[in-house]
Each structure stands twice: as structure tokens, then as C-alpha cells.
Amino acid sequence: MASPRLETFCCPTRDAATDFVLGFQPVFFNAICVASASFSLIGTLAQVLPKRTLGYRRSSQYPLQKPSASSRILLIISICDILGCIGIMTRASVWLSFPDLVGRISLNGTEIWPTAFCVSSAIWIQLFYSATFWWLFYYAVDAYLVVKRSSGLSILVLYHMLTWGLAILLLVEGVAMLYYPSISSCQNGLEHAIPHYITTYIPLLLVLLVNPILFGKTASAVASLLKGRQGIYTENERRLGSQIKLRFFKILLVCFICWLPNLINEGLLFYLELQPDMNRELLKNVKNAALITWFTMSILNPMQGFLSTLAFYGWTGWDFDFRFQKNEIQWEFPTTSTTAENECDNPVAASLNYHDNLQEREKVMTENSHDSNDELCALSEDNGKANGFFASSSPIYQGL
């Protein structure tokens, strides 16, 4: 799981609330972390690896295009989730192998290895999950810019600078405040811990509070754009708008399910920290709730990677294709009569079959209108664009 409590685990002067959750069934807790992270890692890799059934035939009338900025953002989010899962698996596996590792963190610093591993693994996990939150935020920003005709691959450089710059800056600031003046005194007072918790939860709160607003504005702008293009709102356009709204909803649902327990747990543990005696009978229900959310976090936090890919692409199947092709593949749209058959064979097409709509429109729309359709279709689960073998067969290039 990913929590700012990870860094406080490394403090020899931990507060009573942190000691309470850390000392409750540590073997069972770490086993759950390993199992959940392993399942999520395998599922995420299975989702993004190239598939034979995800290649679409494109008409030679339109050249192969590079993935959009938002498509690449989804790839980066998946990579950050994978690296975060690896960090959780490594930390939990080491703690299972060395149950006394945390207990060997001493005030006099006689053993450097336990402290170094504890701090480095916690920083690794926090960095990549913080980066995931920032990328999710900029995905919402880019989706809004797409419908405003202000997005492009060049803006991806700016997203990189902002995401990694802010993630590293907040991480360094929070860890420095927590461990100042030394790791042996990092929990002597809330003035050390509170800035660290704030810097950790800023990107998460940004996603939970601001992304719904941006997604709502984007969905409204898409509807207005579709209505204003030809002065009518056809069934195809209505379907596209519904697919975009559904995809935004699934992304937000995954974020709330996976990370809301963290906020609840942190509030409960802070409440326990403020109590003069945690062992009072009146606090029994609070302590039970804290433990329930603590173990819930160990399951849901690592699962974000896999669940996010389901929200991004749907289930893409197990039909992997690792053949490398240097030459570009000519693509063509399936005819309307074969659409139903292709949907059964292609999980992504089954979740959004917008290619027949594009084929019908290509007869009556200009080239500029076609580009606009690609931009809007990119907001749904599949835009049918391809660029080389990997782009044509991997879901990370199959939509915004």
C-alpha cells in the first residue's frame, strides 16, 4: 500500500497510532500487499502488452498518425503504476523475509541497512504514486484542451516538467521536514509530520476534487462541439458523447475506490494521535475502523494500476503478439456489414465501435472535419489510430 505512514515507519520514535497499525498482524498485512501488488502488476502488463486482436485496418486515404499526447499520458500512468507496484512488492517481500527489520531501526544508528532500505523504498513508492496523481490531473487538463483545439504532442514536454518537478519538489520538501534535523527525531511533534502528510496528499486531493470538474466541462464542451459542427445531433454523436462520459466516470470511480480509504484512515489515525490514552474503551470502534481501512488500503492501493487500465481500455484479452514488424501496415476500416463480427473478436471494438461512424462520415466531411473527429474519438476508449507495430496492436495507443 502507499501511505505517508511509510516514511514514519522508518522513525525509531514513532507515534502510538503508527505503532498500533504497524504492529497489528504484520505478516498477514505484508502478505496481502505482495498478493495484491503481484496481481495488479501481472494484470497491468497483460493489459498494455501488444495484442493480435487490437490491430485495426485503416484506409490508405488517411496516413498513419502518431499517438496523441493524452494517449501517451495513459501509457506513462500505467508505467508509474507498474513501478509503484514493484516498490510495494519489494518492500513487503523484504519485511516478510526479515520480520524484525523495522525493530532494528535504532536511535543510535548502529544498523544503517534497515533505515536505508525503509527510507528508500518508501520514497520510491511515494514518488511514483505521486507522479501517477499528477499525470491523472494533466490527463484531465489535456482532455479539456483537446476539445478546445489547444492540445498537441508539444505540450507533453510541459506536462513532464510540471509532473516530475512538482512530484520531486513536494517529496523532497515533505521528507526533509519529516526527518529534520535527523531521522532519530522525526516524530517528536506533529510539526514534523503534518507538512509531510500535506505534501503527500496534495496531488491526490487535486485529482479527487478538480478532475471531476474538468471532466464535466470537457463532456459539456464535447456535446456542444458535436451539435455545432453540422447543426444536428445524430445517434452516432450521442453515442460518442456517452462513451466519453462513461470513460471519465470509470477513471474517477477507480481513483475514489482505491484512495478514499487512505484519507479515511489518515483522519482516524490523526484522531488517535491526539488522544492522551489510545487504550480507552471509548476508542475501540475508532481503532477497529482504522485497522479495517488499513488492510483495505493494502488491497486497493496496488490494484489501481490494473483497475486503471480497465477504465482506460476495457479488457484487452490474452492474445499477445510479440512479433516485430519494421514496415508500416496498411489499414482499412471494416465495412458496416462486418462490424458485428469484428466486435465479437475485438474487446476494445466491442466497448466502442466508432469506426463505422467515421467511415460513413468520410464521404461527406472535409479533411479538417475528419481531424476533428479523430480528436473527439480520442476521448473515448478507442480512436483507431496506429503507428507501426506496437501502436497498432497495443491498447496504450488505441485511445486518449
Side-chain angles (χ1 to χ4, degrees), residues 225-309:
L225 187 62
L226 290 173
K227 291 178 182 178
R229 180 178 298 154
Q230 295 183 2
I232 57 176
Y233 197 43
T234 66
E235 180 61 29
N236 288 325
E237 280 141 349
R238 187 177 293 106
R239 181 177 59 177
L240 176 59
S242 298
Q243 290 289 347
I244 292 173
K245 292 179 182 179
L246 178 61
R247 191 182 202 195
F248 290 164
F249 172 77
K250 290 190 293 184
I251 293 173
L252 291 175
L253 183 63
V254 169
C255 292
F256 275 94
I257 290 177
C258 291
W259 298 104
L260 192 58
N262 292 57
L263 299 178
I264 298 174
N265 179 264
E266 204 60 58
L268 294 173
L269 292 182
F270 261 116
Y271 177 76
L272 291 175
E273 285 183 33
L274 297 176
Q275 305 304 311
D277 183 12
M278 279 183 49
N279 296 321
R280 290 185 301 166
E281 185 67 21
L282 294 176
L283 298 176
K284 181 179 179 180
N285 292 334
V286 178
K287 294 167 65 175
N288 289 337
L291 290 175
I292 291 173
T293 53
W294 183 255
F295 279 85
T296 302
M297 291 161 54
S298 68
I299 299 174
L300 293 180
N301 287 180
M303 286 297 296
Q304 179 193 269
F306 177 56
L307 295 178
S308 293
T309 58

Coordinates of all heavy atoms in Angstrom, one line a residue, residues 225-309:
L225 N -19.8 20.9 -29.1 CA -19.0 20.8 -30.3 C -19.6 19.9 -31.4 O -19.7 20.2 -32.6 CB -17.6 20.3 -30.0 CG -16.5 20.3 -31.2 CD1 -16.3 21.8 -31.7 CD2 -15.2 19.7 -30.7
L226 N -20.2 18.8 -30.9 CA -20.8 17.9 -31.8 C -22.1 18.5 -32.4 O -22.4 18.3 -33.6 CB -21.1 16.5 -31.1 CG -19.9 15.7 -30.8 CD1 -20.4 14.5 -29.9 CD2 -19.2 15.2 -32.0
K227 N -22.8 19.2 -31.6 CA -24.1 19.8 -32.0 C -23.8 20.9 -33.0 O -24.5 21.1 -34.0 CB -24.9 20.3 -30.9 CG -25.5 19.3 -30.0 CD -26.2 19.9 -28.8 CE -26.7 18.9 -27.8 NZ -27.4 19.5 -26.6
G228 N -22.8 21.7 -32.8 CA -22.5 22.9 -33.6 C -21.8 22.6 -34.9 O -21.8 23.4 -35.8
R229 N -21.2 21.4 -35.0 CA -20.5 21.1 -36.2 C -21.3 21.1 -37.5 O -21.0 21.6 -38.5 CB -19.7 19.8 -36.1 CG -18.9 19.4 -37.3 CD -18.1 18.1 -37.0 NE -17.2 18.3 -35.9 CZ -16.8 17.3 -35.2 NH1 -17.2 16.1 -35.4 NH2 -15.9 17.5 -34.2
Q230 N -22.5 20.3 -37.4 CA -23.4 20.2 -38.6 C -24.8 20.7 -38.3 O -25.6 20.7 -39.1 CB -23.5 18.7 -39.0 CG -22.1 18.2 -39.5 CD -22.3 16.7 -40.0 OE1 -23.4 16.2 -40.0 NE2 -21.2 16.1 -40.4
G231 N -24.9 21.3 -37.0 CA -26.2 21.8 -36.7 C -27.2 20.7 -36.3 O -28.4 21.0 -36.0
I232 N -26.8 19.4 -36.2 CA -27.7 18.3 -35.8 C -26.9 17.5 -34.8 O -25.7 17.6 -34.7 CB -28.1 17.5 -37.0 CG1 -26.9 16.9 -37.7 CG2 -29.0 18.3 -37.9 CD1 -27.2 16.0 -38.9
Y233 N -27.7 16.7 -34.0 CA -27.1 15.8 -33.0 C -27.6 14.4 -33.3 O -28.6 14.0 -32.8 CB -27.5 16.3 -31.6 CG -26.7 15.8 -30.5 CD1 -25.3 15.7 -30.6 CD2 -27.3 15.4 -29.3 CE1 -24.5 15.2 -29.5 CE2 -26.5 14.9 -28.2 CZ -25.2 14.8 -28.4 OH -24.4 14.4 -27.3
T234 N -26.8 13.7 -34.1 CA -27.2 12.3 -34.5 C -27.0 11.3 -33.4 O -26.4 11.6 -32.4 CB -26.4 12.0 -35.8 OG1 -25.1 11.8 -35.4 CG2 -26.6 13.0 -36.9
E235 N -27.5 10.1 -33.7 CA -27.3 9.0 -32.8 C -25.8 8.6 -32.6 O -25.4 8.3 -31.5 CB -28.1 7.8 -33.3 CG -28.0 6.5 -32.4 CD -28.6 6.8 -31.0 OE1 -29.5 7.6 -30.9 OE2 -28.1 6.2 -30.0
N236 N -25.0 8.7 -33.7 CA -23.6 8.4 -33.6 C -22.9 9.4 -32.6 O -22.1 9.1 -31.8 CB -23.0 8.5 -34.9 CG -23.4 7.3 -35.8 OD1 -23.5 6.2 -35.3 ND2 -23.5 7.5 -37.1
E237 N -23.3 10.7 -32.8 CA -22.7 11.7 -31.9 C -23.1 11.6 -30.5 O -22.3 11.8 -29.6 CB -23.0 13.1 -32.5 CG -22.1 13.5 -33.6 CD -22.9 14.3 -34.7 OE1 -24.2 14.3 -34.6 OE2 -22.3 14.8 -35.6
R238 N -24.4 11.2 -30.3 CA -24.9 11.0 -28.9 C -24.1 9.8 -28.3 O -23.8 9.8 -27.1 CB -26.4 10.8 -29.0 CG -27.0 10.7 -27.6 CD -28.5 10.5 -27.7 NE -29.1 11.7 -28.3 CZ -29.6 11.8 -29.5 NH1 -29.5 10.8 -30.3 NH2 -30.1 12.9 -30.0
R239 N -23.9 8.8 -29.1 CA -23.2 7.6 -28.6 C -21.7 8.0 -28.2 O -21.2 7.5 -27.2 CB -23.2 6.5 -29.6 CG -22.5 5.2 -29.2 CD -22.6 4.1 -30.2 NE -22.0 4.5 -31.5 CZ -21.9 3.7 -32.5 NH1 -22.4 2.5 -32.5 NH2 -21.4 4.1 -33.6
L240 N -21.1 8.8 -29.1 CA -19.7 9.2 -28.8 C -19.7 10.0 -27.5 O -18.8 9.8 -26.6 CB -19.2 10.0 -29.9 CG -17.8 10.6 -29.7 CD1 -16.8 9.5 -29.5 CD2 -17.3 11.4 -30.9
G241 N -20.6 10.9 -27.3 CA -20.6 11.7 -26.1 C -20.9 10.8 -24.9 O -20.2 11.1 -23.8
S242 N -21.7 9.8 -25.0 CA -22.0 8.9 -23.9 C -20.8 8.1 -23.5 O -20.5 7.9 -22.3 CB -23.2 8.0 -24.2 OG -24.4 8.8 -24.4
Q243 N -20.0 7.7 -24.5 CA -18.8 6.9 -24.3 C -17.8 7.7 -23.6 O -17.1 7.2 -22.7 CB -18.3 6.4 -25.6 CG -19.1 5.3 -26.3 CD -19.0 4.0 -25.5 OE1 -18.2 3.8 -24.6 NE2 -19.9 3.0 -25.8
I244 N -17.7 9.0 -23.9 CA -16.7 9.9 -23.3 C -17.0 10.1 -21.8 O -16.2 10.0 -20.9 CB -16.6 11.2 -24.0 CG1 -16.0 11.0 -25.4 CG2 -15.8 12.2 -23.3 CD1 -16.0 12.2 -26.3
K245 N -18.3 10.3 -21.6 CA -18.7 10.5 -20.2 C -18.5 9.2 -19.4 O -18.1 9.3 -18.2 CB -20.2 10.9 -20.1 CG -20.5 12.3 -20.7 CD -22.0 12.6 -20.6 CE -22.3 13.9 -21.2 NZ -23.8 14.2 -21.2
L246 N -18.8 8.1 -20.0 CA -18.6 6.8 -19.3 C -17.2 6.6 -18.9 O -16.9 6.1 -17.8 CB -19.2 5.7 -20.1 CG -19.0 4.2 -19.5 CD1 -19.8 4.1 -18.2 CD2 -19.5 3.2 -20.5
R247 N -16.3 6.9 -19.9 CA -14.9 6.7 -19.6 C -14.4 7.6 -18.5 O -13.7 7.1 -17.6 CB -14.1 6.9 -20.9 CG -12.6 6.5 -20.7 CD -11.8 6.8 -21.9 NE -10.7 5.9 -22.0 CZ -9.7 6.2 -22.8 NH1 -9.7 7.2 -23.6 NH2 -8.7 5.3 -22.9
F248 N -14.8 8.8 -18.5 CA -14.4 9.7 -17.4 C -14.9 9.2 -16.1 O -14.2 9.3 -15.0 CB -14.9 11.1 -17.7 CG -14.2 11.8 -18.8 CD1 -14.8 13.0 -19.4 CD2 -13.0 11.4 -19.3 CE1 -14.2 13.6 -20.5 CE2 -12.4 12.0 -20.3 CZ -13.0 13.2 -20.9
F249 N -16.2 8.7 -16.1 CA -16.7 8.2 -14.8 C -15.9 7.1 -14.3 O -15.7 6.9 -13.1 CB -18.2 7.8 -15.1 CG -18.8 7.1 -13.9 CD1 -19.2 7.8 -12.8 CD2 -19.0 5.8 -13.9 CE1 -19.8 7.2 -11.7 CE2 -19.6 5.1 -12.9 CZ -20.0 5.8 -11.7
K250 N -15.5 6.1 -15.2 CA -14.8 5.0 -14.7 C -13.4 5.3 -14.2 O -13.0 4.7 -13.2 CB -14.6 4.0 -15.9 CG -15.9 3.3 -16.3 CD -15.7 2.2 -17.3 CE -15.2 2.7 -18.6 NZ -15.1 1.6 -19.6
I251 N -12.8 6.3 -14.8 CA -11.5 6.8 -14.2 C -11.6 7.4 -12.8 O -10.9 7.1 -11.9 CB -10.9 7.8 -15.2 CG1 -10.5 7.1 -16.5 CG2 -9.6 8.5 -14.6 CD1 -10.0 8.1 -17.6
L252 N -12.6 8.2 -12.7 CA -12.9 8.8 -11.3 C -13.3 7.7 -10.3 O -12.9 7.8 -9.2 CB -13.9 9.9 -11.4 CG -13.6 11.2 -12.2 CD1 -14.8 12.1 -12.3 CD2 -12.4 11.9 -11.5
L253 N -14.1 6.8 -10.8 CA -14.5 5.7 -9.8 C -13.3 4.9 -9.3 O -13.3 4.6 -8.1 CB -15.5 4.8 -10.6 CG -16.1 3.7 -9.7 CD1 -17.0 4.2 -8.6 CD2 -17.0 2.7 -10.6
V254 N -12.4 4.6 -10.2 CA -11.2 3.9 -9.8 C -10.4 4.7 -8.8 O -9.9 4.1 -7.7 CB -10.3 3.5 -11.0 CG1 -9.0 3.0 -10.5 CG2 -11.0 2.5 -11.8
C255 N -10.2 6.0 -9.0 CA -9.5 6.8 -8.1 C -10.1 6.9 -6.7 O -9.5 6.7 -5.7 CB -9.4 8.2 -8.6 SG -8.3 8.4 -10.1
F256 N -11.5 7.0 -6.7 CA -12.2 7.1 -5.4 C -12.1 5.8 -4.6 O -11.9 5.8 -3.4 CB -13.6 7.6 -5.6 CG -13.8 9.1 -5.7 CD1 -13.8 9.7 -6.9 CD2 -13.9 9.8 -4.5 CE1 -13.9 11.1 -7.0 CE2 -14.1 11.2 -4.6 CZ -14.0 11.9 -5.8
I257 N -12.3 4.7 -5.4 CA -12.3 3.4 -4.7 C -11.0 3.1 -4.1 O -10.8 2.6 -3.0 CB -12.8 2.3 -5.7 CG1 -14.3 2.4 -6.0 CG2 -12.5 0.9 -5.2 CD1 -14.8 1.4 -7.1
C258 N -9.9 3.3 -4.9 CA -8.6 2.9 -4.5 C -7.9 3.8 -3.4 O -7.1 3.4 -2.6 CB -7.6 2.9 -5.7 SG -8.0 1.5 -6.8
W259 N -8.3 5.1 -3.3 CA -7.6 6.1 -2.5 C -8.5 6.7 -1.4 O -7.9 7.3 -0.5 CB -7.0 7.1 -3.4 CG -6.0 6.5 -4.3 CD1 -6.1 6.3 -5.6 CD2 -4.7 6.0 -3.9 NE1 -5.0 5.7 -6.1 CE2 -4.1 5.5 -5.1 CE3 -4.0 5.9 -2.8 CZ2 -2.8 4.9 -5.1 CZ3 -2.7 5.4 -2.8 CH2 -2.1 4.9 -4.0
L260 N -9.8 6.6 -1.5 CA -10.6 7.2 -0.4 C -10.3 6.5 0.9 O -10.3 7.2 2.0 CB -12.1 7.1 -0.8 CG -13.0 7.9 0.1 CD1 -12.7 9.4 0.1 CD2 -14.5 7.7 -0.3
P261 N -10.0 5.2 1.0 CA -9.7 4.6 2.3 C -8.4 5.2 2.9 O -8.3 5.3 4.2 CB -9.4 3.1 1.9 CG -10.3 2.9 0.7 CD -10.2 4.2 0.0
N262 N -7.5 5.7 2.1 CA -6.3 6.4 2.7 C -6.7 7.6 3.4 O -6.2 7.9 4.5 CB -5.3 6.7 1.5 CG -4.7 5.5 0.9 OD1 -5.4 4.6 0.4 ND2 -3.4 5.4 0.9
L263 N -7.6 8.4 2.9 CA -8.0 9.7 3.5 C -8.7 9.4 4.8 O -8.5 10.0 5.9 CB -8.8 10.5 2.6 CG -8.2 11.0 1.3 CD1 -9.2 11.7 0.4 CD2 -6.9 11.8 1.6
I264 N -9.6 8.4 4.8 CA -10.4 8.0 6.0 C -9.4 7.5 7.1 O -9.5 7.8 8.2 CB -11.4 6.9 5.6 CG1 -12.4 7.5 4.7 CG2 -12.1 6.4 6.9 CD1 -13.5 6.5 4.2
N265 N -8.5 6.6 6.7 CA -7.5 6.0 7.6 C -6.7 7.1 8.2 O -6.4 7.1 9.5 CB -6.7 5.0 6.9 CG -5.7 4.4 7.8 OD1 -4.5 4.8 7.9 ND2 -6.1 3.4 8.6
E266 N -6.2 8.0 7.4 CA -5.3 9.1 7.9 C -6.1 10.0 9.0 O -5.5 10.4 10.0 CB -4.8 10.0 6.8 CG -3.5 10.7 7.1 CD -2.4 9.7 7.5 OE1 -2.1 8.9 6.6 OE2 -1.9 9.9 8.6
G267 N -7.4 10.3 8.7 CA -8.1 11.0 9.6 C -8.3 10.3 10.9 O -8.2 10.9 12.0
L268 N -8.6 9.0 10.9 CA -8.7 8.2 12.1 C -7.4 8.1 12.9 O -7.5 8.2 14.1 CB -9.2 6.8 11.7 CG -10.6 6.7 11.1 CD1 -10.9 5.2 10.6 CD2 -11.7 7.1 12.1
L269 N -6.3 7.9 12.2 CA -5.1 7.8 12.9 C -4.7 9.2 13.6 O -4.1 9.2 14.7 CB -4.0 7.3 12.0 CG -4.1 5.9 11.5 CD1 -2.9 5.5 10.6 CD2 -4.2 4.9 12.7
F270 N -4.9 10.3 12.9 CA -4.7 11.6 13.5 C -5.5 11.8 14.7 O -5.1 12.4 15.7 CB -4.9 12.7 12.4 CG -3.7 13.1 11.8 CD1 -3.5 13.0 10.4 CD2 -2.6 13.8 12.5 CE1 -2.3 13.4 9.8 CE2 -1.5 14.2 11.9 CZ -1.3 14.0 10.5
Y271 N -6.8 11.3 14.6 CA -7.6 11.5 15.8 C -7.1 10.7 17.0 O -7.1 11.1 18.1 CB -9.0 11.0 15.4 CG -10.0 11.0 16.6 CD1 -10.6 12.2 17.0 CD2 -10.4 9.8 17.2 CE1 -11.4 12.2 18.1 CE2 -11.3 9.8 18.3 CZ -11.8 11.0 18.7 OH -12.7 11.1 19.8
L272 N -6.6 9.5 16.7 CA -6.0 8.7 17.8 C -4.7 9.3 18.3 O -4.4 9.2 19.5 CB -5.7 7.2 17.2 CG -6.9 6.4 16.9 CD1 -6.5 5.1 16.3 CD2 -7.7 6.1 18.1
E273 N -3.9 9.9 17.4 CA -2.7 10.6 17.9 C -3.0 11.7 18.9 O -2.2 11.9 19.8 CB -1.9 11.1 16.7 CG -1.2 10.1 15.9 CD -0.4 10.8 14.8 OE1 0.1 11.9 15.0 OE2 -0.3 10.2 13.7
L274 N -4.1 12.4 18.7 CA -4.5 13.5 19.6 C -5.0 13.1 20.9 O -5.2 13.9 21.8 CB -5.5 14.4 18.9 CG -5.0 15.0 17.6 CD1 -6.1 15.8 16.9 CD2 -3.8 16.0 17.8
Q275 N -5.3 11.8 21.1 CA -5.9 11.3 22.4 C -4.7 11.0 23.4 O -3.7 10.5 23.0 CB -6.7 10.0 22.1 CG -7.8 10.1 21.1 CD -8.7 11.2 21.4 OE1 -9.2 11.4 22.5 NE2 -9.0 12.1 20.4
P276 N -5.0 11.4 24.6 CA -3.9 11.2 25.6 C -3.7 9.7 25.9 O -2.7 9.3 26.3 CB -4.5 11.9 26.9 CG -6.0 12.0 26.6 CD -6.1 12.1 25.2
D277 N -4.8 8.9 25.8 CA -4.7 7.4 26.0 C -5.5 6.7 24.9 O -6.7 6.7 24.9 CB -5.3 7.1 27.4 CG -5.1 5.6 27.8 OD1 -4.4 4.9 27.0 OD2 -5.8 5.2 28.7
M278 N -4.7 6.0 24.1 CA -5.4 5.3 23.0 C -6.1 4.0 23.4 O -6.9 3.4 22.7 CB -4.3 4.9 21.9 CG -4.0 6.0 21.0 SD -2.8 5.4 19.7 CE -3.6 3.9 19.2
N279 N -5.8 3.5 24.6 CA -6.3 2.3 25.1 C -7.7 2.4 25.8 O -8.2 1.4 26.4 CB -5.3 1.6 26.1 CG -4.0 1.3 25.3 OD1 -4.0 0.8 24.2 ND2 -2.9 1.5 26.0
R280 N -8.2 3.6 25.7 CA -9.6 3.7 26.4 C -10.6 2.9 25.6 O -10.5 2.8 24.4 CB -10.0 5.2 26.4 CG -9.1 6.1 27.4 CD -9.7 7.5 27.4 NE -9.7 8.1 26.1 CZ -10.3 9.2 25.8 NH1 -11.1 9.8 26.7 NH2 -10.3 9.7 24.5
E281 N -11.6 2.5 26.3 CA -12.6 1.6 25.8 C -13.5 2.4 24.7 O -14.0 1.9 23.8 CB -13.6 1.1 26.9 CG -14.6 0.1 26.4 CD -14.1 -1.2 25.9 OE1 -12.9 -1.5 26.3 OE2 -14.7 -1.9 25.1
L282 N -13.6 3.7 24.9 CA -14.4 4.5 24.0 C -13.8 4.6 22.6 O -14.4 4.9 21.7 CB -14.5 6.0 24.6 CG -15.4 6.1 25.9 CD1 -15.3 7.5 26.4 CD2 -16.8 5.6 25.6
L283 N -12.5 4.3 22.5 CA -11.8 4.4 21.2 C -11.7 3.1 20.5 O -11.0 3.0 19.5 CB -10.3 5.0 21.5 CG -10.2 6.4 22.0 CD1 -8.8 6.8 22.3 CD2 -10.9 7.4 21.1
K284 N -12.4 2.1 21.1 CA -12.3 0.8 20.5 C -12.8 0.7 19.0 O -12.2 0.2 18.1 CB -13.0 -0.2 21.3 CG -13.0 -1.7 20.8 CD -13.7 -2.6 21.7 CE -13.7 -4.1 21.1 NZ -14.4 -5.0 22.0
N285 N -13.9 1.4 18.8 CA -14.5 1.4 17.5 C -13.7 2.2 16.5 O -13.6 1.8 15.3 CB -15.9 2.0 17.5 CG -16.9 1.1 18.2 OD1 -16.7 -0.1 18.3 ND2 -18.0 1.7 18.8
V286 N -13.0 3.3 17.0 CA -12.2 4.1 16.1 C -11.0 3.2 15.7 O -10.5 3.2 14.5 CB -11.7 5.3 16.8 CG1 -10.8 6.2 16.0 CG2 -12.9 6.2 17.2
K287 N -10.4 2.5 16.7 CA -9.2 1.7 16.4 C -9.6 0.5 15.4 O -8.8 0.2 14.5 CB -8.7 1.1 17.7 CG -8.1 2.2 18.6 CD -7.8 1.6 20.0 CE -6.8 0.6 20.0 NZ -6.4 0.1 21.4
N288 N -10.8 -0.1 15.6 CA -11.2 -1.1 14.6 C -11.4 -0.5 13.2 O -11.0 -1.2 12.2 CB -12.5 -1.7 15.1 CG -12.3 -2.6 16.4 OD1 -11.2 -3.1 16.6 ND2 -13.4 -2.8 17.1
A289 N -12.0 0.7 13.1 CA -12.2 1.3 11.8 C -10.8 1.6 11.2 O -10.6 1.5 10.0 CB -13.0 2.6 12.0
A290 N -9.9 2.0 12.0 CA -8.5 2.3 11.5 C -7.9 1.1 10.9 O -7.2 1.1 9.8 CB -7.7 3.0 12.6
L291 N -8.0 -0.1 11.6 CA -7.4 -1.3 11.1 C -8.1 -1.8 9.9 O -7.5 -2.3 9.0 CB -7.5 -2.4 12.2 CG -6.6 -2.2 13.5 CD1 -6.9 -3.2 14.5 CD2 -5.2 -2.2 13.1
I292 N -9.4 -1.7 9.8 CA -10.2 -2.1 8.6 C -9.7 -1.3 7.4 O -9.4 -1.9 6.3 CB -11.7 -2.0 8.8 CG1 -12.2 -3.0 9.9 CG2 -12.5 -2.1 7.5 CD1 -13.6 -2.8 10.3
T293 N -9.7 0.0 7.5 CA -9.2 0.8 6.4 C -7.8 0.6 6.1 O -7.3 0.7 4.9 CB -9.5 2.3 6.7 OG1 -8.8 2.7 7.9 CG2 -10.9 2.6 6.7
W294 N -6.9 0.3 7.1 CA -5.5 0.0 6.9 C -5.3 -1.2 6.0 O -4.6 -1.2 5.0 CB -4.9 -0.2 8.2 CG -3.4 -0.4 8.2 CD1 -2.7 -1.6 8.4 CD2 -2.4 0.5 7.9 NE1 -1.4 -1.4 8.2 CE2 -1.1 -0.1 8.0 CE3 -2.4 1.9 7.6 CZ2 0.1 0.5 7.8 CZ3 -1.2 2.6 7.4 CH2 0.0 1.9 7.5
F295 N -6.1 -2.3 6.3 CA -5.9 -3.5 5.5 C -6.7 -3.3 4.1 O -6.3 -4.0 3.1 CB -6.5 -4.7 6.2 CG -5.6 -5.3 7.2 CD1 -5.5 -4.8 8.5 CD2 -4.7 -6.3 6.9 CE1 -4.6 -5.3 9.4 CE2 -3.8 -6.9 7.8 CZ -3.8 -6.3 9.1
T296 N -7.7 -2.5 4.1 CA -8.3 -2.2 2.8 C -7.3 -1.5 1.9 O -7.3 -1.8 0.7 CB -9.6 -1.3 3.0 OG1 -10.5 -2.0 3.9 CG2 -10.2 -1.0 1.7
M297 N -6.5 -0.6 2.4 CA -5.5 0.1 1.6 C -4.5 -0.9 1.1 O -4.0 -0.7 -0.1 CB -4.8 1.1 2.5 CG -5.7 2.3 2.9 SD -5.0 3.2 4.4 CE -3.3 3.6 3.8
S298 N -4.2 -1.9 1.8 CA -3.2 -2.9 1.3 C -3.7 -3.6 0.1 O -2.9 -4.2 -0.7 CB -2.8 -3.9 2.5 OG -3.9 -4.7 2.8
I299 N -5.0 -3.7 -0.1 CA -5.6 -4.4 -1.2 C -5.8 -3.4 -2.4 O -5.4 -3.7 -3.5 CB -6.9 -5.1 -0.8 CG1 -6.7 -6.1 0.3 CG2 -7.5 -5.7 -2.0 CD1 -7.9 -6.7 0.8
L300 N -6.4 -2.3 -2.1 CA -6.8 -1.4 -3.1 C -5.8 -0.5 -3.7 O -5.8 -0.2 -4.9 CB -8.0 -0.5 -2.6 CG -9.3 -1.2 -2.3 CD1 -10.3 -0.3 -1.8 CD2 -9.8 -2.0 -3.5
N301 N -4.8 0.0 -2.9 CA -3.8 0.8 -3.4 C -3.0 0.2 -4.6 O -2.8 0.8 -5.6 CB -2.8 1.3 -2.3 CG -3.4 2.3 -1.4 OD1 -2.8 2.7 -0.4 ND2 -4.7 2.7 -1.6
P302 N -2.4 -1.0 -4.4 CA -1.7 -1.6 -5.5 C -2.6 -1.9 -6.7 O -2.1 -2.0 -7.8 CB -1.1 -2.9 -4.9 CG -1.2 -2.7 -3.4 CD -2.4 -1.9 -3.2
M303 N -3.9 -2.1 -6.5 CA -4.8 -2.5 -7.5 C -5.1 -1.4 -8.5 O -5.8 -1.6 -9.5 CB -6.1 -3.1 -7.0 CG -6.0 -4.5 -6.3 SD -5.5 -5.7 -7.6 CE -6.9 -5.7 -8.6
Q304 N -4.7 -0.2 -8.2 CA -5.0 1.0 -9.0 C -4.5 0.8 -10.4 O -5.2 1.1 -11.4 CB -4.5 2.3 -8.5 CG -4.8 3.4 -9.4 CD -4.0 4.7 -9.1 OE1 -4.5 5.5 -8.3 NE2 -2.9 4.8 -9.7
G305 N -3.3 0.2 -10.6 CA -2.7 0.0 -11.9 C -3.6 -0.8 -12.8 O -3.9 -0.4 -13.9
F306 N -4.0 -2.0 -12.3 CA -4.8 -2.9 -13.1 C -6.2 -2.3 -13.4 O -6.7 -2.3 -14.5 CB -4.9 -4.2 -12.5 CG -5.8 -5.2 -13.2 CD1 -5.6 -5.5 -14.5 CD2 -6.9 -5.8 -12.5 CE1 -6.4 -6.4 -15.2 CE2 -7.7 -6.7 -13.2 CZ -7.5 -7.0 -14.5
L307 N -6.8 -1.7 -12.3 CA -8.2 -1.2 -12.5 C -8.2 0.0 -13.4 O -9.1 0.3 -14.2 CB -8.7 -0.8 -11.1 CG -9.0 -1.9 -10.1 CD1 -9.5 -1.4 -8.8 CD2 -10.0 -2.9 -10.7
S308 N -7.1 0.8 -13.4 CA -7.0 2.0 -14.3 C -6.9 1.6 -15.7 O -7.6 2.2 -16.6 CB -5.8 2.8 -13.9 OG -5.9 3.4 -12.7
T309 N -6.2 0.5 -16.0 CA -6.1 0.0 -17.4 C -7.5 -0.5 -17.9 O -7.9 -0.3 -19.0 CB -5.1 -1.1 -17.6 OG1 -5.4 -2.2 -16.7 CG2 -3.7 -0.6 -17.3

